[in-house]
Amino acid sequence: MATIDDTATDTETGEEYATPPEERSAYLDRYPSAARIVRWCFLVAFGALGVGGLFGMIQALHRTGVFRGFVSSSDYYSVLTGHGVLLVLVFTTFFIAGLFTWAVTQSLEMDLPRPRLAVTWFSMILLGTVLAGTAILGGLVDQIPASADVLYTMYSPMQAHPIFYIGAALIIVGSWIAGANYFLMYRDWRAENAGERIPLQTFMVLTTFLMWYLATVGIAIEVVVFLIPWSLGLISEVNPLFTRTLFWYFGHPVVYFWLMPAYLIWYTILPKLSGGRLFSDPLARVVFVLFLLLSTPTGIHHQYVDPGIPEGFKFVAMTNTMFLLLPSLLTAFTVVASIEHGARQNGGGGLFGWLKNLPWDNPAFSGCTLAGLMFAAGGFSGMINAGMNINYLIHNTLWVPGHFHLTVGTASALTFMAITYWLLPQLTGKRIRNYTIASIQPYVWFIGMFLMSNAMHRAGLAGVPRRTAEPQYPSQGITFEGVVGGVSEMRLQIAIGGVLLTVSLAMFLYVIATTWLGPRSERIRVNGRIPKPLSSADDSPRVLDNMKLWIAIAVVLVLLTYGPPVASIVADGIFAGGSAPVPV
Ligand code: HEM
Ligand SMILES: [Cu+2]
């Protein structure tokens, strides 16, 4: 097995992978105010990950009947809301805001020019988190006179306390300001570097945020125009189909807001960790542009079973969703090719023999790679979700959480954890402590998720529902017999998998906390320099950098796919219950 030696050089170009000792804390020394805000973002992100993960274990043990002592079944929904919101909204948003700050500052080579603006968005997202979190906690603690058991998919007719929605709105608006910060930095850079290609990482951040601005329009309208006034009692009725449509307009592209940062890591850092270089910068740009264009006009695929949206529009959404496979497949090939290049630089050979020459003991590398591998499986179950007819089989079953624990729960979450082993030393000047525990952690996550997710998928096929504390229907007297191949075996897998995941999470938090609280080191193990891609930006058409063009096309696609169905829903009245459900 290859271990990356920090004095290695690229044999083809003679370019050094290693940074000389005096440059080892380069990021921290060069960009101190960016490093500070990234550290703060990571701190909140990992706090949310810890609490959210613990809730996950409680759910896994509760709904499988292994241990029900933590909460009552009637409080299950509050825990599930906390799990969803803390992990897919709070953890991801904070981590991504921090990661992107790192990516923009280091690829544009400038420290945060507007630290106050950074403090503003950080505080806003934090305040939003505290408000939403308090409302969710209110579902578990009687002393808090608020509750928000509406799950992270917040739409009517379920209603939460206004502070939950106000918190959610602050999180969204805060993220917009974070994005504005990146765009302003890009503008500063452009003023000094007319005619130059946008550095790849910044390109990725900007395309991700353009997609995010377009997508969050949906949830912003839903929350601000409908849910806040409705929860305050200012309006008495809203159209549930309309709020659902607005939510899912945002609810699908949000998954690309979680994934594109993982892709940024796989494209720009992972090849270097494997000892090589990115295969193709132009291809990476094409992939991000495709995500910008294709992520949003697909959300109706979450509404295949919603009455009130004609089949034809659902069919269009399905077709668009299938197109989205293209950038993910391109990514799979490019990233694997880049890793293979790295392994061959380290002396690897043969058809598969090169796999042995990868640094499997480096948790940053193994975590990203295992996450990518699981993402491939998640992509296949996603294709099944997307199929209009097969969707009916798995809709609202445990299959669905089985699917997204592979995608956001592993592809994003494990990649984010893994790359922290590489980023944290640069942000703190501290060498990772308890490295052995760190080296094992991604494998424990992988095994835990393998068990839990596999069993969830199978349980879904067997009709076991999601989002319920009592999936066994005891009052109907339904029992499941058998240990191997039966529902009891799946339940056991989910419980064991859930516990392993929590153990892995605890290992991660332990390593990060001990490193963070420990003293600064003389020498850190990682170097932050990113080698040039084999095929560089100069090989790609300039039009790729034309952000205005891409966002214009993205908007047109959205208008084409959402205009007609939204017009027909609005015709029913937006502040009214809507038509009676008629299957169409
Ligand atoms: C310790 C690790 C984890 C465990 C044990 C765990 C366990 C679970 C279980 C058992 C459910 C299904 C509950 C039900 O439908 O009744 C669930 C749902 C969910 N999990 Fe996790 N999970 C973990 C980590 C994650 C991560 C890292 C993410 C995302 C970053 C995530 C996101 C979600 C979401 C969005 C739901 C659905 C919530 C809903 O239906 O409203 N989980 N989790
Ligand atoms: Cu979707």
Side-chain angles (χ1 to χ4, degrees), residues 355-373:
L355 284 166
K356 290 200 299 278
N357 290 66
L358 289 166
W360 294 107
D361 55 349
N362 174 350
F365 172 82
S366 66
C368 290
T369 312
L370 294 175
L373 206 60

Side-chain angles (χ1 to χ4, degrees), residues 166-306:
I166 295 171
L170 283 172
I171 296 178
I172 302 292
V173 178
S175 76
W176 288 350
I177 302 178
N181 210 353
Y182 310 137
F183 276 95
L184 287 172
M185 285 169 69
Y186 166 65
R187 209 185 53 181
D188 296 347
W189 174 87
R190 181 50 89 199
E192 308 258 299
N193 299 275
E196 272 193 46
R197 301 306 296 259
I198 308 175
L200 183 59
Q201 286 188 333
T202 301
F203 181 89
M204 292 171 157
V205 169
L206 299 185
T207 36
T208 305
F209 256 88
L210 286 177
M211 185 280 292
W212 182 241
Y213 283 124
L214 186 62
T216 41
V217 168
I219 193 164
I221 298 178
E222 189 209 2
V223 170
V224 176
V225 179
F226 295 95
L227 301 183
I228 293 181
W230 177 58
S231 64
L232 286 169
L234 302 175
I235 48 177
S236 61
E237 223 178 335
V238 293
N239 180 341
L241 180 59
F242 194 34
T243 61
R244 275 176 68 85
T245 306
L246 286 171
F247 181 85
W248 286 119
Y249 169 82
F250 148 90
H252 186 76
V254 71
V255 310
Y256 290 96
F257 184 63
W258 305 325
L259 281 171
M260 286 160 83
Y263 282 41
L264 179 145
I265 293 167
W266 298 347
Y267 273 108
T268 63
I269 311 175
L270 186 57
K272 169 227 168 71
L273 293 177
S274 62
R277 298 193 281 154
L278 170 62
F279 220 65
S280 163
D281 169 303
L283 197 79
R285 284 177 205 250
V286 170
V287 164
F288 273 68
V289 167
L290 284 174
F291 278 129
L292 167 59
L293 299 183
L294 297 173
S295 297
T296 331
T298 55
I300 289 180
H301 69 210
H302 291 255
Q303 297 179 279
Y304 288 150
V305 298
D306 279 24

